[in-house]
Amino acid sequence: MSCELINRAHLAGVSTSHAVWRHFAATLDVSYQEQPPQHFVDEILDASIRNPCALAAPRDPTHTREVVAWLAEQWRLRGWTVPSEFQLESLPDADYTVDLFYKTYTGWGGGTLGTGVTLMESSGGITSSTTGLTTWCGAAVLAEWVANNPTVVAGKRVLELGAGVGFSASAILTSPDTEHPPPAAYFATDCHHQVLTLLHHNLTLNLADPPLQRTYLEEFRAKVIHQLEKERLVTPEEKYEEPLVWSPPAATITDPAHPTLAVVREEEHGQNRVGVMQVDWRHPPRLPAVDVVLAADVVYCHNLIQPLVSLLRSILKGSDRQEERGHLQQEPLRGNGRKGCSSEEEVRATNGGGPGKQEAFLACTRRSHETLSLFLQEVTRQGLHYTLVFQATMDADTALFVYNEIHLPVKVYKITLPQEDTQKH
């Protein structure tokens, strides 16, 4: 069990200041009164820095050095001789300007680099003026809830809003569940151009067969870091009022009807399509046909609540653009004077599943609770119905290996058209 904890904590980049490491330290005291044997040291190293999964993709050298230094300190505290393997001299120094490395979350999904989801991401909350380059707890809550309620996505066309670096999408798409069919299609969307670059890469990484080679991952990481550094030094993102348009990677299959939709995977006759798409909630493009909308921790910003609900409404209603134009006139948003979806060009979110058949599920954690009430008020104001379908204290396992927010409340809401609107159609 102790080596399993080390494995999960190291692969997920969990800091040694977090509780999981203290738990490992406690197991040392229970298991060994004297110097542990060499095979135990080898087991620790094989589970962490020598683990094949850790070696398959570039990991954060700062975290690796932190883990090894922590292990050496645990041996010293107990009066044991520190193994030579716990020396820092043989480890690479941290030499980078942008914090962007691969992490693996074991226990979710089953990506091609091992039994877990592997993502390139930042360990910081805000990087390059966006919170979308790191995994947040809401993504794990959403993935876990979908895993416990597989019929929500089984055989359906799914659209995820604010997909970030792709934790939920990767976990859902690589689910080991064999009793339920996978989603018929999955469209992961976001707005920030660099977030979309990582989202597309991470989905490709977790769905690739055969697995992507480390050399390719190193080259890709270097390319992304170069671009981020170039933007930071020359054209800071915060100077732009409008989001930069994302260009799908070269040689990527795109959909003529959706210019920013880059296909990650598509089987014969368009089956099991997985794609990444740029969607600005304030000016949504025409969206692919979907049955289910998923989202996690997307109601944190006051200015985006109104356009988000408008977008959800247009998808759930499945109405013609001309019909929507008369209903979605919005008051100016606070702060930037922008309006929500109101013109024929802006309101293009249509779907072919038939009015009243769509559902949206939003996972919320503490980080969005301050604005959650405003979101629910806006849902009601725009004529939608919400139901709390799940509420619990965050699972300790989820919290420790994603963002260490143990014992915090989580909720999942279902957003639908009112029953009477469904019956009218």
Side-chain angles (χ1 to χ4, degrees), residues 81-102:
T81 301
V82 178
S84 59
E85 292 88 344
F86 292 172
Q87 304 300 324
L88 297 178
E89 288 74 12
S90 61
L91 298 176
D93 291 326
D95 181 20
Y96 57 85
T97 55
V98 178
D99 168 27
L100 209 62
F101 293 96
Y102 290 90

Side-chain angles (χ1 to χ4, degrees), residues 14-50:
V14 178
S15 170
T16 54
S17 64
H18 290 181
V20 62
W21 295 95
R22 293 194 294 273
H23 182 74
F24 172 75
T27 64
L28 286 178
D29 295 327
V30 172
S31 302
Y32 295 100
Q33 303 302 316
E34 300 179 350
Q35 178 90 19
Q38 180 62 36
H39 73 77
F40 180 67
V41 174
D42 290 333
E43 287 175 6
I44 292 175
L45 295 173
D46 290 342
S48 55
I49 64 175
R50 295 198 307 222

